[in-house]
Amino acid sequence: MSDQWSALAEEISGHAQNYVDGLTRVAGGEGGDAIWSILLVEVAQMSLAGAKLGANRDVILAGNYEPPMSEDPDIDGVRTALAERLEAVDDYAEVFDPYKDTSVTPYRLSDDLTAVAADLIHGLRHYHAGRPHEALWWWQFSYFNTWGNHAGAAMRALQALAAHSRLDVAEEATTV
């Protein structure tokens, strides 16, 4: 594996681990009133890492084969905890593909955030098993296939929440 790929794998693994850890902490109750802002930063940082994967040439596995692994850990508890914390704003609408499918689709922030985490965890498992090339391949493939879309949709929803919390304020009465 080239030094370029090794450096990218190390960088992406750091972002992926930070995202998973941050999401787990928020699901566990951390963040208080800043939950939307924290999640927005986490998703934005991971989206930047994904954009780097998308801008690089394709990562190709030898034999075009992903080594088998045991089943990925179940993170439904994180999804459920996020859904409870985000209850009032969990459901939102999104256009899945602005070029091919322009119909509005119902989404859930909790689903999007954990779908990203699930794909990142799969790659982290390759990385921690000493297979950084496989990790890069997985992160790049799943970025284009699933988590990039979920991260983008979640980021738009979280940015809208942040904007509404700052801009949708009642006008103060002024006295003359």
Side-chain angles (χ1 to χ4, degrees), residues 44-64:
Q45 288 177 335
M46 201 60 238
S47 293
L48 173 61
K52 287 181 180 183
L53 289 166
N56 269 288
R57 68 181 194 272
D58 288 347
V59 178
I60 306 295
L61 295 180
N64 204 21

Side-chain angles (χ1 to χ4, degrees), residues 45-172:
Q45 288 177 335
M46 201 60 238
S47 293
L48 173 61
K52 287 181 180 183
L53 289 166
N56 269 288
R57 68 181 194 272
D58 288 347
V59 178
I60 306 295
L61 295 180
N64 204 21
Y65 173 77
E66 179 185 13
M69 291 194 309
S70 61
E71 192 171 316
D72 287 334
D74 182 5
I75 60 170
D76 196 52
V78 172
R79 186 200 59 74
T80 301
L82 282 171
E84 289 171 8
R85 291 213 61 205
L86 298 168
E87 180 182 10
V89 295
D90 199 23
D91 294 319
Y92 70 99
E94 174 70 14
V95 174
F96 179 72
D97 184 335
Y99 294 104
K100 291 186 178 185
D101 180 5
T102 58
S103 60
V104 175
T105 305
Y107 273 61
R108 284 194 177 98
L109 268 171
S110 57
D111 290 343
D112 289 330
L113 296 168
T114 52
V116 172
D119 282 341
L120 297 177
I121 289 168
H122 186 86
L124 282 168
R125 292 182 65 224
H126 277 302
Y127 186 80
H128 293 309
R131 297 187 300 268
H133 197 88
E134 286 82 355
L136 270 180
W137 171 81
W138 175 258
W139 287 321
Q140 187 182 58
F141 169 77
S142 60
Y143 170 73
F144 287 124
N145 196 42
T146 54
W147 76 261
N149 181 62
H150 286 287
M155 190 158 59
R156 284 186 294 281
L158 289 163
Q159 190 277 335
L161 286 170
H164 287 301
S165 72
R166 304 272 170 76
L167 300 176
D168 295 350
V169 295
E171 289 188 36
E172 293 183 25

